[in-house]
Amino acid sequence: MKLASEITLIPVLHGKIAFAAHVRKLCNSENFDAIAIDVPLTFEQDLGEAVDRLPFISALTAKDNEDHLFYVPIDPCDSTIEAVRQARQKRIPFHCIGFPKLSIPSPMQGLPDEYAINSVGFDTFSALCLHAAKLPQKGSYNDEAARFIAHKLLQLKQSQKNVLALVHFRRFAAVVKHFGKEETYNALFAPAPTYSLSKFLINPDHLYFALGELPFVTAKFEKERQNIFSEPVDIIDCIKDLFRETRDDYMDHSIAAEELSPVRIQAALSYLRNLTVMSQRFLPSLFDIIEAAKGVGGNAYAVRILKSARYYPFLPFDSNERIMDTGISNVALSSEVGPGDKKEIFESTNLFRDMQMHWKTLSIKPDPSLEKRKKYKYTWNPLGMCSHQPEDIRIENFNSHLRHRSLQILSESYSKSEKFTSSVKDGIDIRETLRNWYTGDIYVKEIPPVKGKIDTVVILFDENNDHLYPHRTVWYAEHDQESTLTFYASDPFEDLIGPGVARCTYGGLSLLFPPRTIPSAFEVTGELNLTDCASKLVAGALMFSREKAVAIVSAQKPDIKKRMLASRFKKHLVWIPMASFSSETLRKLRRFHILNGKNVRSWASRFIGD
Amino acid sequence: MEKVTIGNVELVLSHPVKTEMEWIGQGEPIRQLAACWMVLEESDIALTPRIIGLPGIGKTTLAMAAARQRNQDVYVMQCTSDTRPEDLLVSPVLSQDGKISYHASPLLSAAIKGGVAILDEGNRMSEKSWASLAGLFDHRRMVESIVAGITVTAHADFRAAVTMNEDSSTFEIPDYIMSRLQPGIRIPFPQREDELRILSYSLPFSSKEVLDICVDYLQRAHELDLPYSVRDGINAMRYTLKLLNSGEQQKDTQSVFNEALKQILGDEALDLEKLASRRKNSGEHLPSMNLGDFFFPDDEDLNPDNDEEY
């Protein structure tokens, strides 16, 4: 709105792209002489320099006498920061006209979602917000602050011809009220208290708590600024990108990537949309984003989504600045620069946070920090290794399922058809009867009982990348219902996820049931001139199996080398295609955990995700 | 018996379940289930979620309570490894007059009437049975019965959920079915107050002493990540009350409860102290592993999960 012919006044909320984009549009469509922003005057001195450092995000802090810390994050999605950027680009002056006395702002309530601007337009949305925000009480902090802003605007009116002024919704109506009063011009204000001012770089991992939008969305907005041909950022599209890009970046876990088909991503987004609608919002919260990702892709995908959501790519390479760790209502400040510095905790207020931040606990199994990994590695006892029991049960169930299925395959392969004479045997063979329809004979099927059993099952997940699986060993059964397990897997020390808990991936395994004590297949097969782990595993299985048939689950049918190996041991391989199992089943079976002793079993499940 | 005629074939429908299930505490899973079943416009389709959790944690109860919130009839289909495709859709039955009558399964009845179908223990079914439902759970929203020779298009209000146990096999569910059973809703263990409310709702005649003993036990077990659920607690309480009323009055309630636990869950259920001491001996401080631990893995002061206020 035009407050006077010299002043264009617009109401804003902090940290929201919709307002920043509106300010940018306004600055590009009109030539302003100066820009005035509702940011406390206290921060004016350092603000320009901090904004010039963008895209690196820092915070300007002001500590009062009671050690309460107020801070202003230099958020690229904030409309006031955007206004300062525009002023710096167009080489026009900017003025902080906010009340210099700092106070903890009360959270805004009952405001419509700013995404509605896209549908109803900026003016209608602002009218709705102003209606919800109401006029501050006379004599209240916001009323006094509004009087100060009006006073400053009246001063600016004298010196500038066309000023763009950004005022927060909390004070907007009161500013308009005070601007029209004569006493505002001559108003006197008590001197502001003194604050200890500083600037810090915000810890990139904690940007979520400092910024108004997700760091991922903030990065997209920043990238849009850098490319003049790019489309305007749409937050909903950004959320879609978040799900898609995270899935595409799953390079290290190719199995998990396969199962996250476009249909699943679509299901996740529909689910997220519904959760958002149920919360009566247009834009999803981080909690719902993670919940939707977890529902569709499990813990691993949810953790990756979380990593992507908080990721902000613009980081200074070599900064000597002090870092500020940011929480919801407190911050940790380092007293000196450098690693290992001591941190001091302060109660804090983010002056750019308009809504109250609600924290809900969500059970998620994050990967441990580098520091913790080192600690877990250091405390690992090399003499104690055992399995995680729920995974034992899962693999044993799968083993018995495979043995049952391979017996079925065997019996089907031995079935034969013959002309009906006196007995229908195992039923009429319709196919054979139809084939010989012209003869008028009826054919019956006979499925003979399979002689022998299957005691060994080999599962080959990966036959070609032995270098990824240096951990090759045999695990003997703890009781008579467990198989003897021979496997090659990834190095447990590479992925320690909890105290005494290592995460591994099978390359291949063989299960011998009933269990027996056998030597390692990777050692005793040395004389057979076998080079790869898969062949050694198969050779070991053929060597120690007491039955004629050995079941093998693999992506490809056993090659000639393996079949010759089988005939050498006077046995044969029953192939079950890997594709007959769902990728989710295979993913769950393939990922297993090694525990550092039986004691660890009592807490391992706390660190092991699904 | 209600009958409908589809394509000249008369189908006898199953009855909806009449129980009045109430969901106590834990608002998040029921919100998630309601979100899955929400439809925003005509072309939108409802999701069919998997409800996952340990046995006895309340998966079926959750689905029934969510259906009740929507004021819809509930049809429960118990799935086993022997469930055949025709069991899921239409079964031919020889009627009294010697003719074949076609009986619609609870699932198909829900699809026809616009109710909520709960496929209980769905992971036990074979791929062959699942394959017959593929069309019902995607955009086609239709299913074909070979036995009756009819094609049924689901009612717009038809909703479904599948409950799955973590312990039983899921080997036979192929990817194309899994992609239709999304998302997964996991039910965690309830908080102390909720657990107390559930137990007193299920056993309103129980004494406070038995209730407290049981809740203490279950909460301790949850802390130690043991798979003992509310259902185990209810069974133990029920048995304790029966023992107390049948001549075991001279023993104290705690030892009767322990005896009941031992008989229901086995000897190892009484070893909580041993487990706890094992943890203690390891000297490890075990974090809660929640969302806050992701942002502040090494910093407990800033971690909002460590702050009761939030």
Side-chain angles (χ1 to χ4, degrees):
Chain A
M1 70 176 280
K2 280 278 182 191
L3 197 58
S5 58
E6 299 88 353
I7 295 174
T8 305
L9 189 68
I10 58 166
V12 291
L13 286 174
H14 284 304
K16 299 295 173 195
I17 281 184
F19 290 93
H22 183 73
V23 167
R24 188 187 291 176
K25 202 170 138 192
L26 216 58
C27 289
N28 288 338
S29 62
E30 206 172 323
N31 288 325
F32 295 104
D33 297 337
I35 280 172
I37 52 170
D38 182 2
V39 169
L41 189 55
T42 324
F43 298 108
E44 190 175 51
Q45 198 183 339
D46 295 326
L47 189 60
E49 198 188 321
V51 167
D52 289 344
R53 291 209 60 208
L54 279 170
F56 306 136
I57 298 177
S58 50
L60 302 179
T61 65
K63 195 162 56 178
D64 66 10
N65 295 333
E66 291 165 0
D67 268 0
H68 188 91
L69 193 120
F70 295 89
Y71 72 94
V72 167
I74 308 302
D75 181 352
C77 299
D78 190 273
S79 50
T80 55
I81 301 298
E82 177 63 35
V84 175
R85 280 180 117 172
Q86 293 292 336
R88 305 290 271 191
Q89 277 174 16
K90 295 178 195 304
R91 297 180 190 278
I92 55 173
F94 75 89
H95 306 274
C96 289
I97 54 169
F99 199 35
K101 185 184 168 191
L102 304 178
S103 152
I104 300 171
S106 53
M108 303 280 289
Q109 278 169 351
L111 288 191
D113 221 330
E114 75 280 356
Y115 193 72
I117 290 176
N118 294 341
S119 326
V120 299
F122 189 83
D123 292 339
T124 314
F125 179 82
S126 301
L128 282 169
C129 285
L130 286 170
H131 182 72
K134 298 197 173 80
L135 200 63
Q137 276 188 343
K138 197 175 176 187
S140 65
Y141 172 83
N142 274 334
D143 188 55
E144 190 61 7
R147 205 158 68 91
F148 182 84
I149 293 168
H151 172 77
K152 284 281 179 189
L153 284 175
L154 283 166
Q155 283 181 347
L156 278 173
K157 191 182 159 207
Q158 303 300 315
S159 55
Q160 306 289 346
K161 284 180 184 165
N162 195 6
V163 180
L164 173 67
L166 274 57
V167 175
H168 196 273
F169 274 103
R170 281 195 193 94
R171 295 172 281 274
F172 187 86
V175 167
V176 176
K177 186 184 83 177
H178 288 296
F179 189 83
K181 289 183 179 173
E182 196 180 333
E183 66 261 30
T184 308
Y185 189 84
N186 298 316
L188 289 173
F189 297 91
T194 49
Y195 296 96
S196 154
L197 302 177
S198 281
K199 48 191 172 184
F200 293 89
L201 208 63
I202 299 177
N203 184 336
D205 289 343
H206 300 168
L207 282 173
Y208 170 70
F209 297 99
L211 302 182
E213 304 283 2
L214 289 177
F216 179 85
V217 176
T218 308
K220 291 265 178 195
F221 190 59
E222 197 56 35
K223 281 175 190 165
E224 182 209 322
R225 162 180 279 278
Q226 292 172 0
N227 180 4
I228 54 166
F229 299 109
S230 63
E231 291 285 314
V233 165
D234 182 290
I235 299 181
I236 298 292
D237 286 343
C238 286
I239 302 295
K240 289 177 190 168
D241 287 345
L242 174 66
F243 277 76
R244 195 181 41 76
E245 286 175 19
T246 306
R247 192 269 314 264
D248 295 344
D249 290 343
Y250 241 148
M251 297 305 282
D252 53 335
H253 295 82
S254 54
I255 294 181
E258 272 170 29
E259 77 189 40
L260 286 170
S261 58
V263 177
R264 283 206 179 187
I265 300 286
Q266 193 185 6
L269 291 171
S270 303
Y271 180 41
L272 177 60
R273 177 204 60 189
N274 292 1
L275 285 171
T276 310
V277 172
M278 287 201 72
S279 314
Q280 300 181 327
R281 307 298 299 178
F282 288 124
L283 298 172
S285 64
L286 182 66
F287 183 86
D288 285 342
I289 290 173
I290 305 306
E291 200 63 82
K294 196 178 168 194
V296 172
N299 186 73
Y301 186 54
V303 169
R304 273 165 184 79
I305 284 275
L306 197 49
K307 274 184 189 168
S308 306
R310 76 162 184 190
Y311 179 62
Y312 182 74
F314 305 101
L315 303 171
F317 280 111
D318 184 24
S319 171
N320 287 325
E321 273 182 79
R322 288 191 288 162
I323 301 280
M324 180 169 92
D325 292 347
T326 321
I328 293 181
S329 63
N330 43 16
V331 293
L333 300 178
S334 51
S335 46
E336 285 170 23
V337 179
D341 52 350
K342 203 169 176 193
K343 292 199 170 172
E344 213 176 334
I345 308 281
F346 294 96
E347 269 195 21
S348 68
T349 301
N350 180 352
L351 292 171
F352 278 6
R353 188 186 294 152
D354 292 333
M355 318 287 175
Q356 192 161 9
M357 189 175 237
H358 294 285
W359 187 257
K360 287 201 264 183
T361 290
L362 173 74
S363 178
I364 196 166
K365 313 278 197 265
D367 295 335
S369 64
L370 206 63
E371 198 80 358
K372 277 192 176 165
R373 275 175 203 266
K374 275 185 195 164
K375 190 186 156 200
Y376 297 154
K377 217 170 196 172
Y378 184 71
T379 53
W380 186 276
N381 172 11
L383 299 174
M385 272 200 194
C386 70
S387 58
H388 180 45
Q389 275 173 325
E391 287 164 356
D392 286 346
I393 296 168
R394 192 184 290 155
I395 203 88
E396 288 306 330
N397 280 343
F398 191 56
N399 183 20
S400 75
H401 174 76
L402 288 177
R403 281 187 287 125
H404 179 72
R405 185 139 160 206
S406 42
L407 279 178
Q408 269 181 341
I409 293 171
L410 269 181
S411 66
E412 278 165 19
S413 66
Y414 289 134
S415 76
K416 55 182 181 185
S417 287
E418 59 186 39
K419 269 187 200 170
F420 170 71
T421 49
S422 57
S423 165
V424 288
K425 296 200 168 173
D426 290 314
I428 294 169
D429 190 341
I430 299 286
R431 185 177 289 180
E432 201 58 30
T433 306
L434 285 175
R435 193 176 286 153
N436 296 291
W437 190 251
Y438 63 96
T439 63
D441 295 323
I442 292 173
Y443 280 75
V444 291
K445 196 160 43 177
E446 187 181 11
I447 304 168
V450 183
K451 287 176 193 167
K453 293 174 189 166
I454 300 273
D455 66 353
T456 308
V457 169
V458 181
I459 307 169
L460 301 176
F461 291 109
D462 188 352
E463 300 181 49
N464 304 320
N465 300 298
D466 287 353
H467 61 284
L468 298 176
Y469 311 105
H471 189 60
R472 296 155 195 180
T473 189
V474 186
W475 276 1
Y476 299 108
E478 286 182 50
H479 51 81
D480 60 358
Q481 293 304 307
E482 208 172 72
S483 313
T484 303
L485 174 68
T486 310
F487 63 90
Y488 57 98
S490 59
D491 186 2
F493 293 104
E494 288 297 310
D495 198 5
L496 294 171
I497 58 164
V501 187
R503 184 165 53 195
C504 296
T505 308
Y506 284 124
L509 70 152
S510 83
L511 295 144
L512 176 66
F513 187 85
R516 286 197 306 275
T517 307
I518 53 168
S520 168
F522 303 103
E523 288 166 16
V524 294
T525 51
E527 289 176 12
L528 295 172
N529 282 335
L530 300 169
T531 49
D532 59 306
C533 286
S535 300
K536 285 179 186 175
L537 194 70
V538 172
L542 292 164
M543 202 179 278
F544 301 118
S545 170
R546 287 180 182 166
E547 304 295 337
K548 283 274 176 201
V550 168
I552 180 166
V553 182
S554 57
Q556 305 290 328
K557 213 170 179 176
D559 54 20
I560 186 76
K561 205 167 84 183
K562 290 191 187 77
R563 291 208 302 273
M564 280 177 69
L565 207 58
S567 61
R568 193 167 158 184
F569 286 101
K570 295 193 170 53
K571 285 171 190 166
H572 67 274
L573 297 168
V574 181
W575 179 55
I576 303 172
M578 187 79 86
S580 59
F581 304 101
S582 79
S583 54
E584 186 147 330
T585 301
L586 295 173
R587 180 179 65 83
K588 279 188 176 170
L589 289 167
R590 198 173 171 188
R591 178 64 57 84
F592 74 109
H593 295 85
I594 296 178
L595 311 183
N596 195 199
K598 288 185 180 172
N599 272 358
V600 183
R601 282 180 174 161
S602 65
W603 66 76
S605 56
R606 185 164 289 193
F607 296 89
I608 296 174
D610 54 355
Chain B
M1 283 220 180
E2 196 179 346
K3 292 177 182 176
V4 290
T5 305
I6 296 170
N8 292 330
V9 175
E10 190 178 65
L11 283 179
V12 179
L13 299 183
S14 302
H15 293 292
V17 178
K18 286 276 182 238
T19 52
E20 298 278 300
M21 301 302 279
E22 198 176 322
W23 182 252
I24 298 168
Q26 296 202 74
E28 200 50 42
I30 204 159
R31 183 179 85 98
Q32 289 169 9
L33 188 51
C36 291
W37 287 345
M38 180 189 270
V39 169
L40 295 181
E41 55 169 18
E42 256 182 52
S43 60
D44 193 14
I45 56 165
L47 297 166
T48 306
R50 287 169 288 135
I51 305 174
I52 311 158
L54 293 165
I57 205 150
K59 299 182 287 292
T60 316
T61 310
L62 172 74
M64 284 179 160
R68 203 175 147 209
Q69 268 188 1
R70 294 173 56 88
N71 292 321
Q72 282 183 274
D73 283 336
V74 182
Y75 296 79
V76 180
M77 179 101 212
Q78 193 65 43
C79 305
T80 67
S81 54
D82 297 329
T83 305
R84 294 163 302 163
E86 57 265 36
D87 297 336
L88 284 170
L89 302 170
V90 178
S91 305
V93 175
L94 204 58
S95 61
Q96 284 176 334
D97 54 0
K99 288 181 180 169
I100 286 178
S101 69
Y102 293 102
H103 283 236
S105 69
L107 173 68
L108 195 68
S109 302
I112 293 168
K113 295 287 290 176
V116 171
I118 301 169
L119 293 174
D120 212 4
E121 314 264 358
N123 51 319
R124 295 183 194 279
M125 278 201 303
S126 65
E127 181 188 349
K128 205 172 169 184
S129 302
W130 275 115
S132 63
L133 302 181
L136 190 63
F137 296 144
D138 62 19
H139 63 280
R140 289 172 283 172
R141 305 264 296 167
M142 53 183 270
V143 68
E144 198 175 352
S145 166
I146 305 288
V147 173
I150 54 168
T151 302
V152 177
T153 305
H155 191 283
D157 291 335
F158 168 65
R159 302 286 184 273
V162 184
T163 71
M164 287 189 178
N165 269 337
E166 283 178 325
D167 60 339
S168 49
S169 80
T170 49
F171 310 133
E172 295 288 349
I173 304 181
D175 269 347
Y176 72 96
I177 292 296
M178 278 305 252
S179 66
R180 285 163 169 87
L181 304 179
Q182 296 294 344
I185 297 173
R186 187 170 291 275
I187 308 181
F189 286 123
Q191 300 288 320
R192 188 185 170 81
E193 294 74 36
D194 292 338
E195 199 145 50
L196 193 65
R197 281 170 59 209
I198 297 167
L199 289 175
S200 46
Y201 173 81
S202 306
L203 300 168
F205 45 83
S206 165
S207 66
K208 193 175 176 304
E209 191 188 6
V210 179
L211 261 176
D212 286 340
I213 289 174
C214 186
V215 172
D216 286 345
Y217 174 80
L218 287 176
Q219 287 294 314
R220 187 101 179 94
H222 302 337
E223 266 173 38
L224 293 167
D225 306 314
L226 293 174
Y228 301 137
S229 65
V230 182
R231 189 191 286 161
D232 297 322
I234 292 173
N235 289 339
M237 270 177 75
R238 231 180 225 144
Y239 191 37
T240 306
L241 294 170
K242 286 181 198 302
L243 284 175
L244 285 171
N245 284 324
S246 60
E248 298 269 3
Q249 293 95 332
Q250 68 277 19
K251 288 188 184 173
D252 70 303
T253 316
Q254 182 67 60
S255 43
V256 176
F257 181 78
N258 285 352
E259 198 179 313
L261 266 186
K262 199 173 163 184
Q263 282 181 263
I264 290 170
L265 299 175
D267 289 344
E268 67 276 10
L270 296 175
D271 273 356
L272 298 195
E273 290 312 316
K274 201 170 150 191
L275 261 175
S277 65
R278 259 194 224 164
R279 279 193 177 190
K280 208 174 169 187
N281 291 343
S282 75
E284 275 294 343
H285 164 65
L286 297 176
S288 54
M289 301 304 278
N290 285 318
L291 188 57
D293 297 289
F294 180 85
F295 289 101
F296 306 99
D298 301 313
D299 196 341
E300 291 183 2
D301 294 314
L302 297 184
N303 190 340
D305 278 332
N306 296 339
D307 199 334
E308 290 297 314
E309 222 176 292
Y310 296 99

